[in-house]
Amino acid sequence: LVFEPVKNWITNVEFNYSTNSIDTRETGLPYYNHDVSGNIVDTQGTSSLYQDYKKESYMNWNIYSTYSLAINDDHNFKVMGGFQSEEMRQKFFSAKGYGLQVEDLPELDLISNIDGAGKDKVPEVGGYRNEWATAGFFGRLNYDYKGRYLAEANLRYDGTSRFRRGNRWQLSPSFSLGWNIAQENFWEDFADVCNQLKFRFSYGELGNMNTNGWYPTYRAMTLKQANGSWLQNGLKPNTAYVGDLISTALTWEKVRTWNIGLDWGLFNNRLTGSFDAYIRYTDNMVGPSVELPATLGIATPKTNNCDLKTKGWELTIGWQDRTNFGMGYGIKFNVSDARTYIDRYPGNPTNSINIRSAGREIGEIWGFETVGIAKTDDEMQAHLNKVGGQSAIGSGVWTAGDIMYADQDGKPGITKGAQTLEDHGDLKVIGNNTPRYHFGLDLNANYKGFDVRLFFQGVMKRDYWQGSNIFWGVGQWGMWWSTGLKEHEDYFRDEPVGLAGHEIAANVNSYYARPRFDSTQNQETQTRYLQDASYIRLKNFQLGYTLPASMIRKIGITNCRIFVSGENLWTGTKLSKLFDPETISGGNTDSNASAPIKSAGNAYPLSRTWSFGLSVSL
């Protein structure tokens, strides 16, 4: 709803309501085995019926009013105030009964509560209700003088039900100033060359909840019916599980950003660009609390105890023009970079290199420097004598085909020390997994109805340590968790292997060390297998032709364009062919507790896609 009761006073009222309902019904039927004679063996399996119903209702209000005022066409004011709210309600109910009396009629009122062995089987019932809500008040004041001097001030006051009373509300002010130098009288002599030049400065604060929990400041107890593992009086008892530790003082993170920027347009805005530099502080960031003894027996709670500082910049530059013979073309390039450091974190009193630590950069990768793969037993023995042995990182025998690690601390033996900043043995920072220098390049041209566009994107610098069975192929987790892919054929072997007539030639200049099921001593984090995940990708290609208006107007069409488009057509990267540079952080992390490893990075690669189309306007 939009209405204007007074000229230049406009009020907007937006309302959204959505609901999501899920109705699940599952029937479980017993199975039967057969003996060697083909006779049915009753497994005494139990039939069951499970039903649940879940409903989520979401409601959102956004109401704001704006008033504009101009004085003598020189002073322009605009004031805005508003209110926002969100509310989510969730309810869930489930029931599971055992022993269907009629398998073709699975209904909860037709269950016997008897399992396949003829014993009583207690039905299961569950349910819960959840809700959260947010509310926010906001205001803005804008002023500009003849388009030369620009000012804006904002104020937000946001609250959430996720935190406890006293920590629910967050005040977030911000302001910005701008000077459009190209509008000044003294700039008239330069206007033919530089027709746009604006300097910007801003400071702003915003709150961040950084939690998806419904009630993260309350410790929950989980109750289960007939869930015990021991029989009491012939029945399984009900159980209660104590929830994780929580922080009752959990509250908003505060993100403060200082920004300066410059926008320009040269040669009648054919050459345009902008540059921004910023410093962002994240105060009271949510993270694990102070390290506690393992005898606690439970994970430490999350609390507001960390401060971060990020320094970054972004540059955009573009050229748009048309040649004398009528071809239009454009080039636009943008690049950005940011680095984040920890300002404060009390949760690492021992200065462990495996936990965030004040003064360190986010994303550091600690590992060994690799000398190489020993090609002979003599070469390995000479290396062990030189460094004082490598038994501290692998008790297995070190032979030809194994990794030789470099000595960094000058002490006998290759070790990890105490893995602290003061004592990290022969470990060192070998890289950083933070993507650096994100860039995009957009090229386009058009001529006599034909148009073409190529869009490239990528990351100029990123180190990546993989370390899963997908990468190694073979490891100490056993043959059933091994991965035999083509890339894994390049492993060390100092003599041919295989059956006569099907032998694989020796390979002493291999990429991978010799495969071992008994040890991971060749698979320590190290420089040899640290991946370069930088890349450039042709993200989109389009070629089109717009039919002449004189041709299509006769049949009642105002515009008709035929086009072909391609996505993810080419990628340039040094990353292992086993992985895609845009999906290396995703994939299966295997929540199965019996799985010995996690395989992040094995996400399905982005597809190369071609499409053809026709766009018509009548």
Side-chain angles (χ1 to χ4, degrees):
L1 175 66
V2 180
F3 58 94
E4 188 175 3
V6 178
K7 186 178 181 180
N8 296 328
W9 179 19
I10 302 175
T11 299
N12 296 70
V13 179
E14 301 172 358
F15 174 74
N16 172 53
Y17 178 82
S18 61
T19 183
N20 181 31
S21 298
I22 302 173
D23 192 353
T24 304
R25 181 182 178 89
E26 299 175 357
T27 302
L29 300 177
Y31 63 90
Y32 300 92
N33 287 337
H34 295 76
D35 61 19
V36 293
S37 300
N39 300 316
I40 294 177
V41 178
D42 187 355
T43 59
Q44 297 186 341
T46 303
S47 59
S48 64
L49 172 64
Y50 171 83
Q51 291 184 210
D52 69 36
Y53 180 74
K54 182 178 182 180
K55 183 177 181 179
E56 294 179 336
S57 299
Y58 173 80
M59 183 172 63
N60 166 237
W61 286 94
N62 186 28
I63 305 171
Y64 59 97
S65 189
T66 304
Y67 181 69
S68 303
L69 176 65
I71 302 176
N72 298 327
D73 294 329
D74 294 336
H75 304 276
N76 300 291
F77 297 88
K78 181 183 291 186
V79 61
M80 184 266 288
F83 168 77
Q84 287 178 316
S85 71
E86 294 179 286
E87 184 177 24
M88 168 69 84
R89 294 178 181 269
Q90 181 189 83
K91 58 184 179 181
F92 175 83
F93 174 81
S94 67
K96 186 173 184 178
Y98 298 91
L100 300 179
Q101 297 186 53
V102 182
E103 293 182 353
D104 291 337
L105 292 174
E107 298 293 344
L108 288 175
D109 61 350
L110 293 177
I111 59 175
S112 64
N113 295 328
I114 297 175
D115 66 14
K119 297 180 180 180
D120 292 339
K121 184 73 172 178
V122 179
E124 303 169 9
V125 179
Y128 56 79
R129 291 174 183 264
N130 286 318
E131 61 181 300
W132 61 260
T134 63
F137 302 88
F138 54 91
R140 174 181 297 163
L141 176 64
N142 293 85
Y143 169 76
D144 80 80
Y145 174 71
K146 292 185 176 181
R148 300 178 188 173
Y149 311 114
L150 314 170
E152 179 180 301
N154 295 272
L155 192 65
R156 290 191 64 94
Y157 190 53
D158 295 293
T160 176
S161 66
R162 296 186 189 269
F163 305 135
R164 294 199 180 189
R165 186 175 289 119
N167 295 317
R168 289 177 176 169
W169 291 90
Q170 167 79 26
L171 185 66
S172 303
S174 64
F175 70 89
S176 61
L177 301 173
W179 180 24
N180 196 342
I181 303 173
Q183 295 295 321
E184 295 287 358
N185 295 330
F186 64 77
W187 197 258
E188 293 180 357
D189 293 338
F190 308 97
D192 292 339
V193 177
C194 180
N195 47 283
Q196 179 184 347
L197 185 64
K198 182 169 67 176
F199 175 77
R200 297 176 280 106
F201 171 78
S202 66
Y203 170 78
E205 297 180 8
L206 279 177
N208 180 29
M209 287 185 286
N210 196 7
T211 177
N212 293 321
W214 291 89
Y215 314 104
T217 63
Y218 290 89
R219 195 174 186 188
M221 178 177 288
T222 303
L223 305 177
K224 293 288 187 178
Q225 185 181 20
N227 191 56
S229 300
W230 296 87
L231 295 178
Q232 296 182 4
N233 297 324
L235 297 174
K236 289 185 176 182
N238 299 336
T239 60
Y241 296 89
V242 177
D244 294 336
L245 296 178
I246 52 89
S247 170
T248 59
L250 193 69
T251 187
W252 295 82
E253 298 176 348
K254 179 182 289 187
V255 182
R256 302 179 290 117
T257 304
W258 297 89
N259 187 92
I260 58 172
L262 185 67
D263 304 317
W264 65 85
L266 304 175
F267 313 118
N268 199 23
N269 278 336
R270 285 179 293 173
L271 177 62
T272 59
S274 66
F275 176 79
D276 284 87
Y278 64 89
I279 298 179
R280 181 173 62 243
Y281 299 91
T282 305
D283 301 330
N284 289 323
M285 182 178 173
V286 176
S289 68
V290 176
E291 188 177 12
L292 298 174
T295 53
L296 175 65
I298 196 170
T300 55
K302 290 186 176 181
T303 186
N304 301 87
N305 63 353
C306 183
D307 295 339
L308 299 181
K309 179 173 67 176
T310 301
K311 298 180 179 179
W313 55 268
E314 181 173 359
L315 172 67
T316 300
I317 189 167
W319 175 270
Q320 194 80 23
D321 199 5
R322 182 168 293 277
T323 64
N324 294 331
F325 56 86
M327 186 184 77
Y329 66 96
I331 303 172
K332 188 174 184 179
F333 176 76
N334 68 281
V335 59
S336 63
D337 184 38
R339 303 180 71 177
T340 301
Y341 300 86
I342 300 171
D343 267 357
R344 176 183 65 92
Y345 180 60
N348 187 10
T350 61
N351 284 330
S352 170
I353 61 175
N354 299 313
I355 303 174
R356 64 183 68 174
S357 181
R360 308 298 298 185
E361 185 176 359
I362 292 290
E364 288 181 340
I365 301 174
W366 287 77
F368 293 105
E369 182 178 337
T370 313
V371 175
I373 298 176
K375 296 182 179 180
T376 64
D377 290 342
D378 290 341
E379 183 181 5
M380 174 56 76
Q381 192 57 49
H383 169 73
L384 296 177
N385 293 336
K386 178 180 177 181
V387 300
Q390 298 182 158
S391 60
I393 59 172
S395 58
V397 178
W398 295 89
T399 66
D402 288 332
I403 295 293
M404 299 181 291
Y405 297 104
D407 181 12
Q408 299 292 330
D409 61 1
K411 298 178 181 179
I414 302 299
T415 72
K416 298 180 182 180
Q419 297 190 56
T420 65
L421 294 176
E422 295 78 18
D423 179 16
H424 46 80
D426 298 292
L427 296 172
K428 68 175 185 177
V429 177
I430 61 174
N432 194 292
N433 60 27
T434 303
R436 302 279 308 278
Y437 308 110
H438 292 267
F439 71 90
L441 177 63
D442 195 347
L443 308 174
N444 64 84
N446 59 85
Y447 180 69
K448 292 186 177 180
F450 289 95
D451 62 90
V452 62
R453 178 177 183 260
L454 294 93
F455 175 64
F456 296 86
Q457 73 169 41
V459 171
M460 295 184 186
K461 178 177 174 59
R462 185 183 185 184
D463 301 313
Y464 175 64
W465 178 257
Q466 224 295 317
S468 76
N469 64 324
I470 304 296
F471 175 78
W472 292 115
V474 169
Q476 52 84 30
W477 44 83
M479 73 172 79
W480 298 112
W481 287 93
S482 297
T483 308
L485 302 174
K486 182 175 179 59
E487 284 73 11
H488 299 134
E489 295 178 0
D490 189 11
Y491 66 89
F492 180 90
R493 47 194 182 273
D494 51 7
E495 58 184 24
V497 297
L499 300 175
H502 300 279
E503 292 181 342
I504 304 176
N507 184 12
V508 296
N509 296 308
S510 65
Y511 176 68
Y512 287 103
R514 70 183 179 107
R516 302 183 62 169
F517 284 122
D518 62 337
S519 172
T520 59
Q521 60 193 42
N522 288 329
Q523 298 173 1
E524 295 288 340
T525 306
Q526 57 188 284
T527 55
R528 180 179 181 85
Y529 300 109
L530 184 68
Q531 297 294 301
D532 181 353
S534 60
Y535 73 96
I536 179 174
R537 170 167 281 167
L538 177 54
K539 195 66 179 176
N540 176 262
F541 165 78
Q542 289 186 30
L543 178 64
Y545 177 68
T546 302
L547 298 177
S550 58
M551 178 188 303
I552 60 178
R553 191 179 299 117
K554 299 176 181 179
I555 56 176
I557 298 177
T558 58
N559 185 74
C560 182
R561 179 174 178 263
I562 305 169
F563 66 89
V564 56
S565 177
E567 307 285 340
N568 305 312
L569 300 183
W570 170 81
T571 302
T573 183
K574 296 180 180 179
L575 183 68
S576 167
K577 294 180 180 179
L578 296 168
F579 308 99
D580 186 291
E582 286 194 76
T583 63
I584 53 176
S585 298
N588 173 33
T589 56
D590 210 332
S591 59
N592 182 3
S594 64
I597 53 173
K598 296 184 183 296
S599 305
N602 66 344
Y604 198 84
L606 298 182
S607 301
R608 182 183 296 113
T609 306
W610 286 97
S611 58
F612 304 86
L614 176 67
S615 177
V616 178
S617 299
L618 301 178

